[in-house]
Amino acid sequence: MNFLKNILSTVIGLFVFLIIIFVGFIFIALIFGSGDDSKQVSVKSNSVIELNLEEVTNDYAGKFLYEDFSFLNEEKTNGLSDIINAIDAAKTDDKIKGISILNNTSLIGMAQSKALRDKLEDFKKSGKFVVAYANSFTQKEYYLNSVADTIYLNPVGEMDFKGLSSEVMFYKDFQEKTGVKMEVIRHGKYKSAVEPYLANEMSEANREQTTALLNSIWNSVAKDISKSRKISVERLNEIANGLLARTPEMAKAEKLVDKVAYEDEYHNGIRKALKVKKEEDYNTVDIIDYAHNVATSSKSSGDGTIAIIYAQGMILTGEGDVNIVGEGSMRRSLQEARKDKNVKAIVLRIDSPGGSALTSDLIWREIELTKKVKPVVVSMGNLAASGGYYIACNASKIYAEETTITGSIGVFGTLPNITKLTNNIGIHTEQVKTHQNAAGYSIFTPLDDNTKNTIQESVENIYNVFVTRVATGRKMKFEQVDAIAQGRVWTGADALKIGLVDKIGGMDDAIKAAAEMVKLKKYKTKNYPEYEKDFASLFGGMPFMQSKESFIKEEVGEENYQMIEQIRRMSAQKGMQALMPFEINIK
């Protein structure tokens, strides 16, 4: 009895200890967090912005509403949209003399890099400088850095400039060996999201679309580099084919970089531009700190508001978050913007590979209702594919970057089946039922033709609805959409040619178009969604409550974690999916 009492008291003690720690974190957040809005970084005269993008992943960093802990409510300012707004403000800020891109590493995608690059190009028009230094350049980082007036590369560094590729993993043999099989029902010959479960090699249809996609993206990238570096696209292709820029000196000889030098020499170059002595430090400010200053100090004004609603991540049921397009937050945001008399137009910023077909349709319906009251303009980021395009297709106008991955109009369903595995280890299953279809689908029995036909019927129905939605929204015939659908993905440049988007441009262009539709010359913007958080979500950031995702990532590394995530996402999908072929990983 005493033993049980000791165990019980220990458990209670641990519980009380965790509660005390939790309350302690709350008070710390209250004491130190509540002053964030007033605690601004001082920007000194003759300063240089350091473009550090390590903390930047999404367009929108998010607003978070904790119902029971209002002092924890916050709007983060480290989204790419905040960075772009900060650069725009710096253009006319007399204290800012230039921007330094120093050993930049980021997780932003190609379309995001394009938007940021365009803003840096615009910044240079003010007469202020943009300079870049790297110990080594990846292709994606070089694409962004190539906008700089002067590009430095370390003497023993490397230059990656060889064109684009994509590598796809196939799991058919893996399924045969393990006895774990994914039953696939799909519509669309290009719906390659499920192809790895059906074959051991890439289909011709998938190879065709992937090749076209890579070539289109490369052409856009090469065109921008060509303009900035004054090198012909033809020569850039020759450099890539022959690996003619693989060393710093070769890169300089081909004019891809300006100076082969060490970092201290780079800083001396900036000192010279600022007229600061070599032995003195020059003034710098981190881009995120500067973005926070701009976000908390600048006040937009105008005759009305343009609502910007961000849809980023997979489309799933539930509330959603900065990395998940949730039914709850999306529908609530559209309803609030629709009912707000000060909001005159809406820009829907999409960066999503799709997901749940049902949730996509529910969001589509909300857009349909909103469009009757005020215009909805879509701005596509890195991708707006499958379900991501579903929620875009009925917009008043659609903008995309040339490198935006879009389309993928198709539907599939996947059902895990472990019949072979259970049989191999001596487990057998039998069913008893009152009616022919009473048991439904079971992972312990083979998929029978009747069930498969029923699911296929559902897939075909959703596909027809999807194509009809696109045809109506884009003012095209069903047959026209069907011909460019079938699950095929397109770049924004090609999507423009076939009528899936209206114009090539970034979010600034979409906002201006929305303002023009409602004849607003001066306007302010308001960001949505505001994600509602409950008590349990507070534990996610606690050190003693490290998520299993963070733990796995730390143990196996980022690349291996992404592979595990791919398998997990496919296994966890429920219902029909309007999802792009996520295995496209451009290198």
Side-chain angles (χ1 to χ4, degrees):
M1 184 63 71
N2 288 332
F3 175 71
L4 292 175
K5 286 181 179 179
N6 289 335
I7 291 177
L8 182 60
S9 62
T10 301
V11 171
I12 293 173
L14 286 172
F15 179 75
V16 171
F17 174 70
L18 291 176
I19 290 296
I20 291 172
I21 290 178
F22 173 70
V23 172
F25 273 106
I26 295 294
F27 278 110
I28 291 171
L30 178 60
I31 293 169
F32 294 101
S34 59
D36 283 347
D37 288 341
S38 59
K39 185 181 178 182
Q40 294 185 18
V41 174
S42 175
V43 180
K44 299 177 181 179
S45 60
N46 209 32
S47 287
V48 175
I49 289 177
E50 293 184 334
L51 193 68
N52 181 1
L53 302 175
E54 288 182 355
E55 296 181 30
V56 180
T57 52
N58 295 317
D59 291 324
Y60 177 49
K63 291 181 187 177
F64 301 90
L65 175 64
Y66 294 88
E67 290 187 14
D68 301 318
F69 305 96
S70 59
F71 56 84
L72 290 176
N73 294 349
E74 64 174 332
E75 179 174 1
K76 294 185 178 180
T77 53
N78 62 337
L80 185 66
S81 59
D82 302 304
I83 303 303
I84 287 175
N85 289 338
I87 295 172
D88 203 36
K91 183 180 176 182
T92 55
D93 188 340
D94 293 337
K95 293 181 179 180
I96 302 299
K97 302 302 179 185
I99 294 176
S100 167
I101 312 175
L102 177 60
N103 278 322
N104 178 64
T105 57
S106 70
L107 295 175
I108 62 175
M110 289 303 299
Q112 289 175 309
S113 295
K114 166 68 173 173
L116 181 56
R117 199 179 184 284
D118 287 347
K119 187 56 65 175
L120 289 169
E121 192 73 67
D122 181 64
F123 174 84
K124 285 164 50 178
K125 293 177 183 178
S126 65
K128 301 178 181 183
F129 63 79
V130 176
V131 290
Y133 172 91
N135 289 324
S136 61
F137 278 120
T138 65
Q139 286 191 123
K140 190 185 75 171
E141 299 305 343
Y142 179 74
Y143 172 60
L144 177 63
N145 282 253
S146 66
V147 74
D149 301 298
T150 307
I151 304 174
Y152 291 70
L153 181 57
N154 187 290
V156 291
E158 294 180 348
M159 180 77 174
D160 185 24
F161 196 83
K162 59 182 185 299
L164 305 179
S165 67
S166 179
E167 192 173 72
V168 182
M169 294 182 69
F170 293 87
Y171 314 115
K172 185 181 179 185
D173 281 354
F174 173 79
Q175 293 178 117
E176 292 296 327
K177 291 178 180 179
T178 61
V180 179
K181 181 182 180 182
M182 294 296 288
E183 299 284 4
V184 174
I185 299 94
R186 62 176 175 170
H187 182 108
K189 64 180 180 178
Y190 293 101
K191 207 63 190 177
S192 53
V194 292
E195 189 174 272
Y197 297 107
L198 303 174
N200 285 322
E201 59 184 16
M202 187 178 287
S203 66
E204 285 304 312
N206 193 13
R207 185 174 296 278
E208 174 192 345
Q209 72 165 345
T210 304
T211 301
L213 188 78
L214 292 175
N215 283 327
S216 182
I217 292 174
W218 175 258
N219 289 339
S220 177
V221 167
K223 182 175 66 176
D224 285 342
I225 295 174
S226 172
K227 183 179 178 181
S228 294
R229 302 302 301 169
K230 296 180 174 56
I231 306 171
S232 70
V233 172
E234 291 75 19
R235 184 54 186 167
L236 288 174
N237 285 326
E238 290 172 0
I239 295 169
N241 271 326
L243 299 178
L244 303 181
R246 61 185 180 272
T247 69
E249 290 298 339
M250 292 173 74
K252 183 181 177 183
E254 294 293 346
K255 299 181 180 179
L256 289 179
V257 303
D258 299 293
K259 295 185 179 183
V260 176
Y262 289 98
E263 187 179 331
D264 60 286
E265 297 174 281
Y266 168 75
H267 289 299
N268 285 336
I270 294 177
R271 288 188 181 94
K272 184 177 180 181
L274 296 174
K275 298 180 180 178
V276 172
K277 294 179 181 179
K278 280 189 177 182
E279 63 272 14
E280 294 181 4
D281 292 332
Y282 60 88
N283 298 325
T284 63
V285 58
D286 186 88
I287 186 64
I288 292 178
D289 290 333
Y290 189 75
H292 183 71
N293 279 15
V294 171
T296 55
S297 62
S298 63
K299 301 293 181 183
S300 301
S301 61
D303 303 321
T305 300
I306 305 292
I308 304 175
I309 302 177
Y310 292 87
Q312 49 194 30
M314 283 189 65
I315 299 174
L316 302 171
T317 58
E319 170 65 12
D321 207 329
V322 289
N323 296 308
I324 295 173
V325 183
E327 172 195 341
S329 57
M330 285 301 298
R331 294 180 69 188
R332 185 174 63 251
S333 297
L334 286 161
Q335 290 167 9
E336 289 177 4
R338 183 169 75 232
K339 295 173 183 177
D340 189 339
K341 293 182 180 179
N342 292 320
V343 172
K344 306 302 180 184
I346 296 168
V347 171
L348 179 62
R349 173 69 170 183
I350 301 174
D351 190 356
S352 172
S356 166
L358 174 59
T359 303
S360 299
D361 193 67
L362 292 172
I363 297 172
W364 171 90
R365 176 59 180 170
E366 209 63 59
I367 294 170
E368 194 71 6
L369 294 173
T370 304
K371 197 175 64 170
K372 294 177 181 178
V373 179
K374 52 194 70 172
V376 178
V377 178
V378 161
S379 168
M380 295 179 174
N382 294 320
L383 67 165
S386 212
Y389 188 76
Y390 197 123
I391 64 175
C393 68
N394 60 331
S396 310
K397 189 172 289 187
I398 301 176
Y399 282 77
E401 298 283 9
E402 287 188 340
T403 55
T404 298
I405 297 174
T406 190
S408 190
I409 302 167
V411 182
F412 69 84
T414 56
L415 303 165
N417 192 285
I418 59 173
T419 303
K420 184 177 179 181
L421 172 64
T422 54
N423 288 343
N424 287 344
I425 60 177
I427 299 174
H428 304 278
T429 304
E430 289 191 10
Q431 295 177 337
V432 179
K433 49 192 176 184
T434 60
H435 294 76
Q436 183 178 349
N437 299 304
Y441 175 74
S442 170
I443 63 172
F444 300 108
T445 58
L447 178 64
D448 62 71
D449 290 340
N450 189 46
T451 302
K452 184 175 181 178
N453 291 337
T454 302
I455 298 172
Q456 184 70 51
E457 184 180 87
S458 180
V459 167
E460 298 297 335
N461 178 58
I462 295 173
Y463 177 79
N464 288 334
V465 171
F466 194 168
V467 173
T468 301
R469 297 275 191 256
V470 176
T472 303
R474 302 302 300 158
K475 296 179 175 58
M476 299 168 69
K477 293 180 180 179
F478 184 98
E479 293 75 19
Q480 288 177 297
V481 177
D482 187 42
I484 58 176
Q486 303 292 325
R488 177 162 182 168
V489 292
W490 308 86
T491 60
D494 290 333
L496 177 67
K497 298 173 185 176
I498 59 177
L500 291 181
V501 305
D502 294 298
K503 290 191 175 182
I504 297 298
M507 192 158 72
D508 283 350
D509 299 303
I511 292 171
K512 289 176 184 176
E516 289 173 1
M517 286 181 176
V518 291
K519 299 179 180 178
L520 277 181
K521 292 185 178 179
K522 291 184 178 181
Y523 52 86
K524 50 189 174 182
T525 60
K526 184 177 180 181
N527 291 337
Y528 296 83
E530 187 174 70
Y531 304 105
E532 295 181 351
K533 297 293 182 179
D534 55 21
F535 181 83
S537 63
L538 286 173
F539 287 99
M542 301 299 176
F544 56 85
M545 292 293 287
Q546 183 185 25
S547 69
K548 64 178 184 293
E549 288 83 3
S550 299
F551 178 78
I552 295 170
K553 191 181 294 185
E554 187 176 312
E555 291 299 313
V556 304
E558 181 70 32
E559 290 188 3
N560 291 329
Y561 175 75
Q562 292 301 326
M563 182 175 68
I564 294 169
E565 271 294 283
Q566 286 186 9
I567 298 172
R568 186 190 65 79
R569 284 199 301 264
M570 289 299 291
S571 301
Q573 286 161 9
K574 297 179 180 179
M576 296 306 153
Q577 301 294 310
L579 183 65
M580 77 159 285
F582 61 82
E583 77 273 6
I584 291 182
N585 180 23
I586 298 173
K587 299 179 180 179

